[in-house]
Amino acid sequence: MFARMFGKPKQEANAVTTLDKLNETLEMLEKKEKVLNKKASAEVEKAKEFTRAKNKRAAIQCLKRKRLYEQQIEQLGNFQLRIHDQMIMLEGAKATTETVDALRTGAKAMKDMQKAVNIDDVDKTMDEINEQTENMKQIQEALATPIGAAADFDEDELEAELEELEGAELEEQLLQPATTAPAAPVYVPAGKQPTRPAQRQNTAEEDELAALQAEMAL
């Protein structure tokens, strides 16, 4: 369809040739317009001279020729305008043809890539990836599963045994006698002997606690 609308590369070359021809014609018309402008200006100068010479008839003839030149100049201006319009249309058609050709090339390239990467192949590849991922997950789970004697251990029993050990450790810490922190050293000046603090007598409660600990040790 696009070939019928915009033509083939040969027709595009013809469009370029036509644009070149229109440019040459436009340059030729511009040169003619300059020549006619000079002639019209010359007739105005002649009319001035004849006016100064009191030759009214000759001055009028000069003005008539000037009018004829101006009509030709106007006609050339219309020709140039039409050529400009035709050139704009051809340049637009050429740009459209190039755009369509680029789009056609892009569509063909995309079609070729789609042929190389079929949607069924993509789905198959994704299925294979998912399958391999699932297999690897099963292998990792199998490797993490205890085997041999370790598989027979009851997790609940191990938890209960751990709680018993923690309770026994706490009870042992509670039954140990309290330790007193070492007394800080006292500075004694030279020539004086430090006085020893009087020994503290055990209270009745401390004696009973010591006797209880001795019986439990048995």
Side-chain angles (χ1 to χ4, degrees), residues 29-161:
L29 292 175
E30 290 175 350
K31 290 179 180 179
K32 285 187 175 182
E33 183 179 1
K34 289 180 180 179
V35 172
L36 291 175
N37 280 321
K38 289 181 179 181
K39 289 183 177 181
S41 298
E43 293 297 332
V44 172
E45 294 298 327
K46 290 180 182 179
K48 291 179 180 180
E49 292 178 0
F50 287 129
T51 302
R52 287 193 292 268
K54 306 298 181 179
N55 191 347
K56 182 178 180 181
R57 182 180 180 84
I60 292 176
Q61 293 296 324
C62 290
L63 293 177
K64 287 181 179 180
R65 287 192 295 271
K66 180 184 77 72
R67 293 282 181 88
L68 292 175
Y69 290 143
E70 289 176 347
Q71 290 178 357
Q72 292 182 11
I73 291 171
E74 183 179 359
Q75 188 177 18
L76 291 177
N78 291 331
F79 290 163
Q80 294 177 47
L81 183 62
R82 290 183 182 180
I83 290 177
H84 277 296
D85 184 54
Q86 188 69 26
M87 290 176 65
I88 291 173
M89 291 179 62
L90 284 173
E91 289 173 352
K94 181 175 178 292
T96 302
T97 302
E98 292 174 352
T99 302
V100 173
D101 184 62
L103 292 174
R104 186 187 298 114
T105 303
K108 184 179 181 302
M110 185 176 296
K111 186 176 181 180
D112 294 339
M113 287 188 292
Q114 289 177 352
K115 288 180 180 180
V117 183
N118 190 278
I119 186 62
D120 295 333
D121 295 337
V122 175
D123 292 338
K124 183 179 178 181
T125 302
M126 294 304 299
D127 292 340
E128 291 177 354
I129 293 174
N130 292 332
E131 183 180 357
Q132 294 299 326
T133 303
E134 186 64 26
N135 291 339
M136 182 58 65
K137 186 185 298 184
Q138 293 178 1
I139 291 173
Q140 292 175 350
E141 291 177 354
L143 292 175
T145 302
I147 60 176
D152 298 332
F153 294 154
D154 189 344
E155 294 291 335
D156 295 336
E157 292 181 358
L158 294 174
E159 291 287 343
E161 183 176 354

Side-chain angles (χ1 to χ4, degrees), residues 15-33:
V16 174
T17 303
T18 303
L19 284 171
D20 293 338
K21 180 64 176 178
L22 289 173
N23 271 320
E24 293 176 0
T25 304
L26 187 62
E27 291 176 359
M28 180 267 295
L29 292 175
E30 290 175 350
K31 290 179 180 179
K32 285 187 175 182
E33 183 179 1

